[in-house]
């Protein structure tokens, strides 16, 4: 803070990092409210608080956003130890409450007693839509297998619209370029992951994550589902739920004769890695991806079979081929290693060779026109 005036130094003390100030919880039991181990913070807050991700005007700022684990009923409260006032040369504190109200739907609680009353009714919450897949993950800490279920829902499911309004608020904190979608467009599909857990002898459900998929029309009679948003909430990350969700979505669309292929909108690096893992798992059992076929090079047979059976497009099929061929290649064998590297190199330089050919043809045609005139 060298070079700052005393007033500037004083004001600097009232700047808070909003990624640290925002405290999120998925609450199952009343004691979770006071348990710091159940708290997690956003990765991003720039879409609400600007590129600096700073709120001005407060010391000790806490922005509490607590959600009941299943239906995501929300508690929103702001706490701080001190706030700027007219003594600071008429500067004003940021209106933090209004910024948060812009992204969370109305009907939230502002006091703990009301929130706990809603928590007691959580036993009545059930997942929306159609059950697609059930799986389990072993929890080392609990020493048991935890059951999870994936459902497909849409806006015709009673209560789902309001639930989705609460669910999508998490996108602002964990997807860098997130935006809310037009839920009135019937071409959206929603896939949600829930955990089953026990509370006082009853079976309850906790929200784990979800995916939205938009069904684009492809002339003349096909659709191309495009993954728009995918989020596994932080308490559940690293447990394999993303792979389970993506594979379930692929299997759902694979059964439809009207689906051409499945794509993704502006995928992140993490999503691409996840997709590679899932598509390799799906393709490895196809005959055209047997080790013998892989060593013969990328083929139209692979493109056709992956597209027809698994709804995978040519570009993604090529990635799968290279991954599976690498697994089948003995990189300690000089000839196999060289063959693999040359195969990848041909794919990399292929587009440039096309452009070179185009440029040469263009120049030749221009010279011919000059000679004719």
């Amino acid at each position: 803070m060298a070079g700052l005036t005393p007033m500037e130094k004083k004001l600097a003390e009232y700047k808070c990092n909003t990624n640290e100030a925002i405290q999120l919880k998925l609450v199952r039991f009343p004691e979770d409210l006071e348990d710091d181990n159940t708290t997690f913070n956003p990765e991003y807050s720039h879409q609400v608080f600007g590129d600096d991700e700073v709120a001005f005007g407060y010391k000790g700022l806490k922005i509490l956003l607590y959600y009941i684990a299943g239906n995501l009923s929300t508690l929103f409260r702001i706490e701080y130890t001190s706030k700027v006032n007219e003594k600071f040369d008429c500067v004003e504190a940021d209106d933090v409450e209004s910024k948060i109200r812009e992204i969370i739907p109305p009907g939230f609680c502002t006091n703990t007693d009301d929130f706990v009353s809603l928590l007691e009714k959580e036993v009545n919450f059930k997942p929306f839509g159609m059950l697609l897949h059930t799986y389990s993950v072993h929890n080392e800490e609990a020493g048991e297998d935890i059951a999870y279920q994936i459902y497909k829902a849409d806006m015709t499911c009673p209560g789902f619209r309001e639930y989705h309004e609460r669910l999508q608020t998490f996108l602002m904190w964990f997807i860098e370029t997130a935006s809310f979608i037009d839920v009135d467009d019937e071409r959206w599909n929603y896939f949600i992951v829930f955990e089953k857990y026990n509370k006082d002898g009853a079976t309850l459900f906790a929200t784990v994550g979800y995916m939205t998929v938009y069904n684009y029309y492809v002339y003349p009679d096909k659709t191309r589902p495009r993954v728009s948003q995918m989020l596994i909430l932080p308490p559940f990350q690293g447990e394999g739920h993303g792979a389970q969700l993506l594979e379930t979505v692929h299997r759902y669309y694979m059964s439809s004769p009207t689906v051409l292929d499945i794509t993704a909108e502006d995928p992140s690096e993490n999503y691409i890695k996840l997709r590679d893992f899932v598509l390799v798992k799906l393709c490895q059992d196809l005959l055209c991806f047997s080790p013998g076929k892989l060593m013969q090079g990328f083929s139209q047979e692979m493109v056709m079979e992956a597209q027809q059976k698994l709804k995978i497009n040519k570009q993604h099929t090529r990635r799968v081929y290279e991954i599976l061929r690498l697994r089948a290649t003995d990189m300690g064998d000089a000839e196999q290693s060289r063959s693999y590297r040359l195969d990848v190199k041909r794919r990399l330089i292929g587009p440039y060779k096309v452009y070179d050919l185009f440029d040469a043809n263009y120049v030749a045609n221009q010279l011919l026109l000059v000679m004719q005139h």
Side-chain angles (χ1 to χ4, degrees), residues 49-177:
F49 291 99
D51 292 342
D52 291 338
E53 298 181 322
V54 166
F56 171 74
Y58 307 86
K59 280 186 178 180
L61 178 65
K62 293 182 180 180
I63 304 170
L64 308 182
L65 282 169
Y66 296 170
Y67 296 80
I68 293 178
N71 67 24
L72 301 180
S73 295
T74 311
L75 169 67
F76 168 46
R77 192 168 68 237
I78 295 174
E79 298 177 354
Y80 50 84
T81 55
S82 63
K83 180 179 178 180
V84 296
N85 53 40
E86 65 275 5
K87 295 180 181 179
F88 294 108
D89 198 22
C90 297
V91 296
E92 294 184 2
D94 290 341
D95 189 353
V96 172
E97 181 173 342
S98 292
K99 292 178 182 292
I100 297 295
R101 282 176 175 267
E102 288 179 3
I103 66 164
I104 63 174
F108 54 83
C109 300
T110 57
N111 68 76
T112 303
D113 290 341
D114 290 343
F115 187 72
V116 171
S117 295
L118 290 177
L119 183 60
E120 293 172 355
K121 301 175 183 178
E122 179 72 346
V123 68
N124 299 319
F125 173 76
K126 296 294 183 289
F128 303 93
M130 174 176 60
L131 175 62
L132 297 181
H133 179 52
T134 298
Y135 64 98
S136 62
V137 175
H138 185 72
N139 185 293
E140 293 289 345
E141 184 177 344
E144 61 181 357
D145 291 342
I146 307 297
Y148 298 88
Q149 294 181 334
I150 299 177
Y151 288 77
K152 176 187 175 293
D154 57 49
M155 289 300 157
T156 65
C157 300
F160 181 70
R161 180 183 291 265
E162 294 76 16
Y163 167 83
H164 178 263
E165 287 180 351
R166 298 188 290 270
L167 175 60
Q168 69 178 350
T169 61
F170 286 101
L171 298 176
M172 290 298 168
W173 312 127
F174 297 103
I175 296 182
E176 190 171 7
T177 57

Side-chain angles (χ1 to χ4, degrees), residues 207-218:
T207 302
V208 172
Y210 83 120
M211 176 189 291
T212 58
V213 180
Y214 191 79
N215 296 289
Y216 282 90
Y217 167 72
V218 180

Side-chain angles (χ1 to χ4, degrees), residues 349-362:
I349 67 174
Y352 299 99
K353 294 179 69 174
V354 171
Y355 292 137
D356 288 344
L357 179 61
F358 172 82
D359 292 340
N361 289 337
Y362 176 81

Side-chain angles (χ1 to χ4, degrees), residues 63 249 312 368:
I63 304 170
V249 171
I312 302 173
L368 181 60

Side-chain angles (χ1 to χ4, degrees), residues 8 33 37 46 114 131 153 163 168 191 202 209 279 332:
E8 289 172 332
L33 293 168
N37 292 325
H46 63 275
D114 290 343
L131 175 62
Y163 167 83
Q168 69 178 350
F191 301 86
L279 297 190

